[in-house]
Amino acid sequence: AKIGLLPLGIMARKLGVTTAWLRAEAESDNLPCLKAGDRYLFEPQAVISILVERARRTRGRTETCKV
């Protein structure tokens, strides 16, 4: 089942990050989002996939976290 788009605050809580970090990543085009007025909307699976791939690329250069 597809979850759909999530607003900034809910997506940040789902990821365990601050809204400031998530907004900065979206504004720098590091994470995909839809900006509707002053709202940021995220497709969870797309964001999670990008973050997982980013973690794989950086493994070995930085400390990894346990999931």
Side-chain angles (χ1 to χ4, degrees):
K2 196 166 180 126
I3 295 174
L5 297 174
L6 295 180
L8 179 72
I10 293 172
M11 189 69 213
R13 280 192 299 279
K14 182 176 181 65
L15 294 171
V17 300
T18 66
T19 55
W21 182 86
L22 187 56
R23 182 183 296 110
E25 289 295 297
E27 288 175 348
S28 345
D29 291 329
N30 292 326
L31 292 175
C33 77
L34 172 65
K35 190 154 190 297
D38 61 349
R39 294 189 61 171
Y40 290 84
L41 301 170
F42 298 87
E43 200 286 299
Q45 197 53 53
V47 172
I48 291 167
S49 294
I50 289 169
L51 293 176
V52 166
E53 183 55 34
R54 188 188 294 180
R56 284 186 184 133
R57 285 195 317 264
T58 60
R59 189 168 289 161
R61 291 187 290 165
T62 60
E63 204 173 302
T64 58
C65 57
K66 295 177 184 172
V67 178

